[in-house]
Amino acid sequence: MLSVTNIALIPLIPLASFLLLGLFGRKYLRENSGWIGTVALLASTVLAFMTAYNYFFVSGQVNGVYQKLIPLKITWLQFSPGLSIDMGILLDPISVMMLVVVTFVSLMVHIYSLGYMKGEERFATYYSFLSLFTFSMLGLVLSCNIFQIYIFWELVGVSSFLLIGFYYDKPSAVAAAKKAFVVTRFADLGFLIGILIISFYAQTLDFGTLIERLTTPTPQLHSIIATSFLGASALTWGLLLIFAGGAGKSAMFPLHIWLPDAMEGPTPVSALIHAATMVVAGVYLVARLFPIFAMSCPGALEVVGYVGAFSALLAATIACTQTDIKRVLAYSTMSQIGYMMFALGVSGYGGENGLGFMASMFHLFTHAMFKALLFLCAGAVIHYVHSNEMGDMGGLRKKMPVTHLTFLVACLAISGIPIFAGFFSKEEILTAAYEHNKLIYGVALFTSGLTAFYMFRLYFSIFWKKEFNTEHSDEHHSEGTWSMLTPLILLGIASLVVGFIPFGNFVTSDGEKISTAVNVVFSVTPVLFAVAGILLAMSFYQTENNMAEKVSVAFGEFYRAAYRKFYIDEIYLFVTKKIIFNLIGFPSAWFDKNVVDGSVNLSASLTEDTSELSRNWQSGRLQSYMLWFLLGLMILAAVFVFF
Amino acid sequence: MELKDLIFYLLGAWILVTALLSITSKQIFRSAVYLLFCMMGVAGLYFWMNYEFIAAVQIVVYVGGIVVLIIFSIFLTQQVGHNLPSPKPTQRIFAGLAAMFAFLFFWAVIRQYDFAEIETGSEELSVRRIGEEMLKYQDGGFALPFEVVSILLLAAMIGCIVIAMKAKPEKTESWL
Amino acid sequence: MEIGLTQILFVSCALFFIGVYGFLTRRNLITMLMAIELMLNAVNINFIAFNKYVWAGRLDGVFFTIFVIAIAAAEAAVAIAIIINIYRNYNSIDVEDADVMKF
């Protein structure tokens, strides 16, 4: 069952679907493209689940330790006997887990889009882009070679660009797509330099060999630690640059500016890409290289931790002030990814030390479920209300019962209320943080309270606050078709259930089992914070009152800064326009226009002037020709006589 | 000095002076006549060198043919009567310098050699001999150049007629 | 001084370069033709002189001269035809006016 073909088919079926729908969808397949894409992805999901079952329960373990298996490796570009870019498949606990997550969420999004994107003219194109994205993401998680992951990284970026800018006649969508691509591309520059540094010293691009060479005392490890640049070793630089690439993709501060704008894309796209799968690519990358981070370069790991914690806090603060529901969810995503990042940051390697790693991956898994659910519910609400703003909503609990229930489940999950999925994963993260870094623990605790607050602010504002004004939506009085509701229900069940999976048995930093028991005493504090946040939100937002305004006025400047996302976008624009354009852009343009173009023009005008001067030689006058003839003759004669 | 040498100097002077006059004269007809005198001088030089046949050919073809042809063309292009425009001073200076310089150069080279006699001839140059050599097609004969020149003359004749032909006027509506 | 080849060559050389000067200086096409005739004559004198003083037993110089005279005649005829044509088209035989073949 665990045959290479079956595993290879998992990413290849979406690729085939992409090609088919891309080439023939628009003209020939049209309405059927949705079905074709969904069925293809169903096949992939089934294969992924089979692979996961096989790996985790049947044949992945050797002596109780999960192995890194490489069923397929094809040498693609060989630079030297030891250095080559291979294309292959790597199976280990995190990649198999990601297979399950990516295919399942993608399947849910495909089904949901059958109803949500119905009537869209470019229906087939949409599904082909979704298939392209799924292929790229699956390729990314199955990569066995750091360059292969870079290739798929870029492919994922392209798919994201295509999907964010799907409504290309909206200028804001086009600008958002461009911003996302440029920011992540800029981060990928760091990623590429990091790859080059690491692979140069380790003399390999293959993950297994790379980790082995840089975590055990080998000559490569010594050389990379010995070389230092501006006070930090080459290893630190390499890992930090790779982390910069991951931070760009995962929207960590300060490269997070693209994520809120990316909400211009269709909502199912936001659910798939910017909640569950693509944005966790950065976390996945750090997890993939985790042994190197943990064992050889703890300094870099600390940076990861602090960046993650700060991003989590920043995003939670901003989310409390936003009024566009998708923006709130975007900042919430950033905050939760911050949790995953700092969980990795406070983790050690091996056995019980690797608790943070396990917690991070667990949270990735549960977060994918409830965040995708949140976005899909938001899509249903937007579909019903035809607006993104919280002000236009209210009292929808009677009109959209299924959505209401599932949204509530998701909110409880993300707030970390016991029984629901988020509780278990968050508790593990907080335990790991408490053991290693009390500061980060404090930040995490406070942020979880904020999380509960803004999520329930969102919940109450949409479903309770005031009676719904039915002026605007006169056509759709139904909640949505079965295709939109089924994924909600399935993901809702998942958000309830997945918390109970004993994750420590499956996914850990070195493959060995760790025990994960719920420490009731320890969990009281976070749950209390969460409940406090929920009650506060209830009092502000369940009914219409002006308590929220009073508090925002009391916060004054801080509120305004948070509402304006702390002016980070403005700072970027300032740097780009005033500094980069003026100092680098205009001089370069001047140089290009005057020196480069000028020299070409100069050669042309020189030729022209020379020809102007010399064309008078051809005067058409016979006698001057004769004179020159005579002169030439004399010279020839002189040459013949004297030489 | 012998008479022979004196005659040579006179002939040489005659040739050069009439040549100079020919090319500096302001009236075209006089220029043609001076050319005629120069040709006569050259013929005289050939006579002095005892090459009578060539001298005769010179007079018949050059003087009686070419110069007459030139005079015809002067009349055809109605040049007789008015003065020729004089050339620009700069042109004169450059041309004069070039010609002078070239002449001196060639003269300097010529003076270096003393041109010893290579083949002595015993026979006199008779017309019979010239005729025989011209039509001799064996070794040393000039039959081939003779034929080639005849073709050239034919071509020149046809060419002249074609170039100088007046274009036929177009026939408009004929009789009625 | 014995009149030898050198003196005749002097005459021939001088005549040639007088012809050159004339060609370069004169503005009328017919007078340029006359200068060409002078040059050709100088060449003829040269051939005959060498034939007489250096290669007395052969007739090459003589024949060269005869052919040059024949060719000069043909060439003068063609030149006159051209001059007449130019005169018909430009109504002038000034060489400065026939400068169409310029830049």
Side-chain angles (χ1 to χ4, degrees):
Chain A
M1 280 305 222
L2 199 67
S3 76
V4 179
T5 328
N6 288 349
I7 305 174
L9 276 177
I10 300 177
L12 290 178
I13 296 179
L15 176 65
S17 158
F18 159 67
L19 288 171
L20 182 69
L21 294 175
L23 290 171
F24 302 111
R26 189 99 187 253
K27 214 165 164 199
Y28 302 111
L29 298 169
R30 267 179 273 204
E31 294 305 307
N32 300 325
S33 337
W35 288 105
I36 295 175
T38 313
V39 165
L41 209 64
L42 183 63
S44 258
T45 313
V46 167
L47 283 172
F49 273 76
M50 273 165 45
T51 311
Y53 175 75
N54 207 312
Y55 181 81
F56 283 123
F57 295 108
V58 177
S59 57
Q61 289 180 338
V62 171
N63 296 335
V65 176
Y66 281 106
Q67 300 294 311
K68 277 190 175 22
L69 298 174
I70 302 188
L72 179 69
K73 187 146 100 162
I74 307 172
T75 311
W76 181 47
L77 281 180
Q78 185 127 29
F79 299 115
S80 73
L83 193 66
S84 65
I85 300 181
D86 305 329
M87 290 286 157
I89 295 177
L90 173 67
L91 292 180
D92 80 342
I94 49 176
S95 73
V96 175
M97 174 199 85
M98 284 300 290
L99 276 182
V100 170
V101 169
V102 173
T103 49
F104 183 67
V105 175
S106 188
L107 181 65
M108 294 298 112
V109 166
H110 272 76
I111 299 176
Y112 185 86
S113 304
L114 286 173
Y116 189 83
M117 298 296 280
K118 193 168 167 178
E120 166 69 40
E121 190 200 323
R122 294 165 59 216
F123 193 65
T125 321
Y126 175 81
Y127 269 92
S128 72
F129 287 161
L130 276 186
S131 300
L132 175 67
F133 171 78
T134 315
F135 158 67
S136 315
M137 194 68 204
L138 288 170
L140 197 156
V141 304
L142 288 173
S143 297
C144 71
N145 181 299
I146 202 170
F147 222 90
Q148 184 185 0
I149 212 177
Y150 184 72
I151 295 172
F152 280 105
W153 194 271
E154 296 301 328
L155 268 174
V156 167
V158 167
S159 316
S160 166
F161 169 80
L162 289 169
L163 282 165
I164 297 175
F166 185 71
Y167 298 122
Y168 56 66
D169 35 16
K170 258 174 48 171
S172 55
V174 169
K178 199 166 59 168
K179 187 173 178 181
F181 197 69
V182 168
V183 172
T184 49
R185 197 76 191 85
F186 174 66
D188 293 346
L189 174 67
F191 188 12
L192 185 63
I193 299 178
I195 291 179
L196 292 174
I197 296 177
I198 300 268
S199 61
F200 174 73
Y201 282 101
Q203 311 271 315
T204 177
L205 287 168
D206 177 68
F207 272 129
T209 333
L210 195 64
I211 292 175
E212 194 195 303
R213 287 208 186 143
L214 292 179
T215 52
T216 53
T218 53
Q220 287 90 0
L221 182 62
H222 285 294
S223 72
I224 199 175
I225 291 189
T227 334
S228 83
F229 176 71
L230 293 181
S233 76
L235 183 64
T236 316
W237 277 105
L239 287 176
L240 281 179
L241 283 168
I242 292 183
F243 173 62
K249 202 60 115 202
S250 291
M252 293 286 101
F253 177 84
L255 294 163
H256 64 279
I257 50 175
W258 64 273
L259 189 59
D261 289 12
M263 298 296 121
E264 295 286 338
T267 314
V269 164
S270 306
L272 178 61
I273 299 186
H274 305 122
T277 43
M278 185 183 95
V279 288
V280 299
V283 180
Y284 183 75
L285 180 66
V286 175
R288 177 58 75 219
L289 291 171
F290 189 70
I292 311 179
F293 272 97
M295 298 212 280
S296 312
C297 194
L301 204 57
E302 276 203 39
V303 174
V304 171
Y306 283 113
V307 168
F310 182 71
S311 304
L313 182 60
L314 182 76
T317 321
I318 298 177
C320 293
T321 63
Q322 298 295 309
T323 54
D324 180 335
I325 59 174
K326 284 181 76 174
R327 295 270 191 286
V328 174
L329 291 175
Y331 282 106
S332 157
T333 308
M334 181 181 159
S335 178
Q336 298 302 308
I337 296 173
Y339 266 86
M340 295 177 217
M341 274 300 185
F342 79 69
L344 282 174
V346 299
S347 172
Y349 183 79
E352 293 295 327
N353 280 340
L355 181 63
F357 183 90
M358 189 279 288
S360 171
M361 294 296 112
F362 194 13
H363 197 61
L364 201 160
F365 192 80
T366 59
H367 172 263
M369 300 298 149
F370 55 67
K371 192 43 71 61
L373 176 57
L374 280 169
F375 267 104
L376 294 182
C377 291
V381 169
I382 294 171
H383 196 78
Y384 191 83
V385 178
H386 296 296
S387 156
N388 285 17
E389 292 292 320
M390 278 205 278
D392 296 338
M393 304 171 191
L396 283 172
R397 69 187 182 285
K398 302 192 190 106
K399 305 273 196 286
M400 309 178 74
V402 177
T403 315
H404 172 227
L405 190 62
T406 47
F407 197 90
L408 182 59
V409 168
C411 283
L412 288 168
I414 198 175
S415 307
I417 303 298
I419 314 278
F420 297 92
F423 165 69
F424 295 96
S425 53
K426 266 202 192 174
E427 201 237 328
E428 300 294 340
I429 294 181
L430 290 169
T431 316
Y434 187 77
E435 281 170 25
H436 285 90
N437 190 328
K438 297 283 194 298
L439 171 65
I440 292 186
Y441 172 72
V443 169
L445 203 56
F446 181 65
T447 311
S448 68
L450 276 180
T451 309
F453 172 71
Y454 68 70
M455 283 314 296
F456 274 89
R457 164 178 178 260
L458 188 63
Y459 166 74
F460 284 119
S461 302
I462 297 177
F463 293 103
W464 287 83
K465 204 162 178 189
K466 55 186 185 194
E467 277 311 308
F468 183 62
N469 193 345
T470 50
E471 282 181 4
H472 304 289
S473 74
D474 36 13
E475 307 121 41
H476 306 278
H477 280 290
S478 72
E479 197 171 347
T481 61
W482 66 269
S483 78
M484 282 168 67
L485 293 178
T486 318
L488 297 183
I489 298 173
L490 285 174
L491 285 170
I493 297 174
S495 303
L496 270 172
V497 163
V498 294
F500 293 105
I501 298 177
F503 225 70
N505 292 354
F506 300 117
V507 178
T508 56
S509 54
D510 58 350
E512 278 192 34
K513 226 161 90 156
I514 52 180
S515 65
T516 54
V518 173
N519 184 339
V520 177
V521 174
F522 182 76
S523 312
V524 167
T525 334
V527 172
L528 274 178
F529 266 83
V531 170
I534 296 175
L535 290 174
L536 200 62
M538 198 189 290
S539 69
F540 280 11
Y541 297 104
Q542 190 176 16
T543 53
E544 232 172 327
N545 54 33
N546 61 353
M547 287 179 71
E549 276 93 80
K550 283 197 220 154
V551 172
S552 65
V553 165
F555 271 105
E557 267 309 312
F558 189 75
Y559 176 81
R560 221 168 327 177
Y563 185 68
R564 291 243 177 272
K565 302 164 271 182
F566 292 109
Y567 305 108
I568 297 184
D569 273 313
E570 281 80 4
I571 296 176
Y572 267 104
L573 268 176
F574 174 80
V575 170
T576 325
K577 284 216 173 114
K578 293 286 185 303
I579 299 182
I580 296 183
F581 281 3
N582 284 344
L583 285 182
I584 303 178
F586 286 129
S588 310
W590 179 90
F591 184 80
D592 182 55
K593 202 162 66 160
N594 291 10
V595 176
V596 176
D597 268 358
S599 60
V600 173
N601 289 347
L602 183 71
S603 68
S605 66
L606 258 179
T607 316
E608 213 179 310
D609 292 338
T610 318
S611 78
E612 277 283 342
L613 283 175
S614 58
R615 75 176 185 170
N616 291 315
W617 215 12
Q618 284 232 305
S619 58
R621 293 171 49 237
L622 191 59
Q623 285 163 330
S624 65
Y625 289 174
M626 178 66 179
L627 193 58
W628 287 105
F629 190 90
L630 188 66
L631 236 74
L633 195 68
M634 291 308 302
I635 292 173
L636 270 176
V639 165
F640 275 119
V641 167
F642 293 119
F643 297 111
Chain B
M1 168 182 338
E2 290 182 17
L3 187 59
K4 199 164 171 233
D5 301 343
L6 182 65
I7 292 178
F8 171 74
Y9 286 126
L10 281 171
L11 275 170
W14 175 260
I15 291 172
L16 293 177
V17 166
T18 48
L20 270 168
L21 284 170
S22 167
I23 63 170
T24 53
S25 165
K26 284 259 185 334
Q27 295 184 6
I28 198 168
F29 201 79
R30 286 199 194 170
S31 183
V33 170
Y34 285 132
L35 181 70
L36 189 144
F37 287 156
C38 186
M39 299 288 135
M40 296 296 289
V42 171
L45 188 61
Y46 291 150
F47 272 122
W48 181 87
M49 286 200 279
N50 292 326
Y51 276 62
E52 299 87 0
F53 179 71
I54 300 298
V57 168
Q58 167 91 355
I59 295 174
V60 167
V61 173
Y62 253 110
V63 178
I66 292 177
V67 178
V68 170
L69 188 62
I70 289 175
I71 293 175
F72 276 165
S73 78
I74 292 172
F75 280 118
L76 268 174
T77 56
Q78 284 142 21
Q79 292 292 311
V80 197
H82 31 254
N83 282 352
L84 288 171
S86 65
K88 292 190 290 245
T90 50
Q91 195 178 356
R92 267 207 230 166
I93 290 171
F94 276 124
L97 274 175
M100 184 63 69
F101 173 67
F103 170 69
L104 287 172
F105 173 71
F106 273 102
W107 182 238
V109 172
I110 289 172
R111 278 190 65 123
Q112 290 174 14
Y113 298 92
D114 61 347
F115 298 115
E117 199 169 348
I118 296 177
E119 251 185 67
T120 51
S122 50
E123 301 162 41
E124 278 298 318
L125 188 71
S126 66
V127 182
R128 167 184 283 268
R129 192 162 157 234
I130 290 177
E132 278 175 0
E133 291 285 326
M134 190 180 281
L135 291 175
K136 191 162 92 168
Y137 52 83
Q138 286 98 359
D139 189 41
F142 290 90
L144 181 61
F146 175 70
E147 298 297 335
V148 170
V149 167
S150 69
I151 294 176
L152 178 118
L153 289 172
L154 176 68
M157 197 158 59
I158 298 175
C160 288
I161 295 173
V162 168
I163 291 173
M165 201 162 59
K166 263 205 181 125
K168 274 213 188 117
E170 282 182 24
K171 266 209 169 125
T172 51
E173 296 299 317
S174 58
W175 299 97
L176 292 164
Chain C
M1 176 173 44
E2 171 82 19
I3 299 294
L5 180 60
T6 317
Q7 283 75 12
I8 303 182
L9 284 184
F10 177 85
V11 171
S12 142
C13 201
L15 186 61
F16 183 83
F17 285 106
I18 290 172
V20 166
Y21 175 73
F23 186 87
L24 292 173
T25 315
R26 293 295 239 171
R27 279 180 68 169
N28 196 309
L29 280 169
I30 297 178
T31 46
M32 284 168 79
L33 183 62
M34 291 190 227
I36 292 174
E37 299 304 332
L38 285 177
M39 285 194 255
L40 285 166
N41 267 293
V43 166
N44 284 343
I45 299 175
N46 208 348
F47 276 124
I48 296 292
F50 269 98
N51 186 278
K52 181 183 166 78
Y53 285 96
V54 178
W55 300 86
R58 299 161 63 95
L59 287 174
D60 294 357
V62 171
F63 275 104
F64 245 109
T65 306
I66 292 176
F67 290 133
V68 167
I69 293 174
I71 290 167
E75 166 246 323
V78 174
I80 299 231
I82 294 174
I83 290 171
I84 289 178
N85 219 351
I86 290 179
Y87 179 72
R88 281 204 204 121
N89 284 329
Y90 296 111
N91 216 23
S92 141
I93 50 171
D94 192 333
V95 74
E96 299 279 325
D97 293 341
D99 61 351
V100 175
M101 298 274 279
K102 61 181 177 182
F103 60 79

